[in-house]
Amino acid sequence: MKNFLSEKARSLAPYTAGEQPKDKRYIKLNTNENPYPPSPRALAALNTFKGDTLNLYPDPQAEELRKAIALAEGVSPENVFCGNGSDEVLALCFPAFFGEKESACFPAITYSFYEVFARFFSVPVQTVSLKEEFYIDFERLKGIDCRGYFIANPNAPTGAAVPLAEMERFIASVPDRLVIADEAYMDFYGQSCAPLTRKYENLLVVKTFSKSYSLAGMRCGYAVGCPSLIEGLFRMKDCFNSYPLDGICQAVCRAAIEDIAYHKKTVRLVISERVRLQAELRALGFTVPESGANFLFVGRARISGKEIYTRLKEEGVLVRFWDKPFLRDFCRITVGAREQNDVLIEKLKQILS
């Protein structure tokens, strides 16, 4: 049979998403989903959406949603771009801001989709090793000759977070380079760079509704930055897909971001469980670095990360494992609801015994 795939399609190694198994029911702690339901206002927006508009295209500019995001972030709508999940927003950053001879730089251990996107858009990549305790080495990053940086904060899969003051020092120190702050988990840390976009034109902040807003199934993300950066993302979007957000998504996400009290409540619940779960895991002998996300990086107990992953799966609990250097000693475990975390701890006690 003739192979019709392009050379690029044959050569690419796609991103591997977390397992979404259908063979049985699991306690799912592998893809950093929020264990709590979406805002009641978001669910009301879903249930009351007028179906008689589905024959029409949605607003390609997502203007009402951008207004709501702008209000929440303290910026103007012209400073906001929306996409089909923060992954799409991050993907569009590569053709918008980097060329085939303009390299992107990021830590060697970080969100693995950055490298996939870079290869897809033929953007050169330079990486810098993490410091001890999994922290980002900003001094080494500054020494790299590149077009710009992708900084996941808190970082994935380690959960290590960078304080706002340190982020600002780095942004200010590289005025001729773009800093893309990927803040998918920032609400669980609370030191967003979004306010700094009013001060620094070289800063773009990317966020998502998937994590803290419990809307992973809706697929909506956004960027905050100066108008010229936002225009660049719109140019790329309109060369690819003019309507990335359907009308239902726009209505639901607008309602979610306007329900400030509910959002704060669920974030507090996740943080409280993160603290409790970290203490329980450390008591079992695990190494668990400090995390600013809704997950913990867990490993180096008496058995390997792969065995922990495999045996937990056999017991009906899914966590994330990467069989790669540096990562294979660890598992990444999403912070679940209290009942889920209790089951996880009990299963780990049985495995370790």
Side-chain angles (χ1 to χ4, degrees):
M1 178 183 290
K2 182 176 177 62
N3 189 341
F4 290 100
L5 294 180
S6 68
E7 182 180 349
K8 172 173 277 191
R10 292 195 301 270
S11 65
L12 287 173
Y15 173 78
T16 302
E19 295 172 89
Q20 303 284 358
K22 297 179 173 61
D23 57 328
K24 66 177 183 179
R25 291 183 63 85
Y26 290 90
I27 292 177
K28 207 165 165 298
L29 304 177
N30 66 325
T31 49
N32 301 339
E33 294 142 326
N34 197 316
Y36 305 106
S39 155
R41 289 172 61 175
L43 295 176
L46 175 65
N47 293 330
T48 60
F49 184 81
K50 294 181 179 179
D52 58 2
T53 64
L54 290 180
N55 62 311
L56 305 175
Y57 285 107
D59 177 6
Q61 308 299 321
E63 289 187 5
E64 294 304 314
L65 175 56
R66 288 169 59 214
K67 288 178 183 177
I69 293 171
L71 183 63
E73 297 290 0
V75 297
S76 299
E78 66 178 2
N79 300 116
V80 178
F81 171 84
C82 294
N84 189 252
S86 61
D87 285 339
E88 181 182 65
V89 179
L90 291 166
L92 294 175
C93 287
F94 283 87
F97 309 124
F98 299 85
E100 294 187 3
K101 297 182 179 180
E102 298 168 322
S103 63
C105 184
F106 41 82
I109 302 298
T110 191
Y111 187 31
S112 58
F113 227 148
Y114 301 155
E115 189 149 358
V116 174
F117 290 145
R119 289 179 179 173
F120 185 86
F121 290 107
S122 301
V123 172
V125 165
Q126 299 188 71
T127 61
V128 170
S129 300
L130 295 178
K131 296 193 294 185
E132 292 183 4
E133 300 302 319
F134 314 111
Y135 290 112
I136 295 172
D137 193 334
F138 285 105
E139 288 303 314
R140 290 190 63 195
L141 284 175
K142 285 191 293 186
I144 300 294
D145 183 15
C146 63
R147 176 76 167 182
Y149 308 91
F150 287 82
I151 306 295
N153 186 30
N155 198 11
T158 65
V162 182
L164 180 59
E166 186 175 352
M167 281 295 295
E168 181 170 11
R169 284 194 295 270
F170 176 67
I171 295 160
S173 71
V174 288
D176 297 326
R177 300 174 188 172
L178 179 62
V179 178
I180 299 169
D182 179 1
E183 296 189 346
Y185 304 100
M186 178 52 70
D187 288 335
F188 304 108
Y189 182 57
Q191 297 194 39
S192 174
C193 284
L196 297 180
T197 60
R198 300 192 296 267
K199 183 177 179 181
Y200 298 99
E201 293 186 349
N202 65 324
L203 172 63
L204 186 77
V205 175
V206 179
K207 296 190 176 187
T208 180
F209 283 88
S210 295
K211 311 302 182 184
S212 63
Y213 288 96
S214 305
L215 290 172
M218 193 56 71
R219 308 310 303 132
C220 184
Y222 63 92
V224 179
C226 71
S228 63
L229 297 178
I230 298 303
E231 180 189 1
L233 291 173
F234 271 110
R235 288 175 67 86
M236 292 302 104
K237 173 187 81 74
D238 290 331
C239 291
F240 176 68
N241 179 8
S242 294
Y243 305 97
L245 298 182
D246 63 59
I248 299 173
C249 174
Q250 294 184 36
V252 170
C253 290
R254 177 186 173 189
I257 204 167
E258 290 175 342
D259 195 347
I260 298 171
Y262 183 84
H263 180 245
K264 288 182 177 179
K265 174 185 174 182
T266 54
V267 166
R268 285 196 300 268
L269 286 171
V270 171
I271 293 173
S272 175
E273 275 301 294
R274 182 183 71 201
V275 172
R276 184 180 76 92
L277 182 59
Q278 181 188 56
E280 293 273 10
L281 290 167
R282 285 177 172 175
L284 291 178
F286 287 96
T287 295
V288 189
E290 292 298 323
S291 172
N294 68 334
F295 59 83
L296 295 169
F297 198 48
V298 180
R300 294 179 183 160
R302 297 193 295 274
I303 55 178
S304 69
K306 185 174 184 179
E307 187 172 354
I308 288 291
Y309 157 76
T310 301
R311 294 184 64 179
L312 280 175
K313 186 174 181 180
E314 291 171 353
E315 295 293 329
V317 180
L318 278 182
V319 298
R320 193 81 191 266
F321 169 74
W322 291 270
D323 193 8
K324 297 179 180 180
F326 179 84
L327 298 178
R328 61 171 57 102
D329 289 336
F330 291 83
C331 289
R332 190 195 67 193
I333 302 178
T334 304
V335 177
R338 188 176 187 89
E339 297 79 10
Q340 295 173 312
N341 297 331
D342 286 344
V343 173
L344 167 72
I345 293 299
E346 186 58 36
K347 297 299 183 183
L348 285 172
K349 287 178 180 178
Q350 295 172 12
I351 291 169
L352 292 173
S353 65

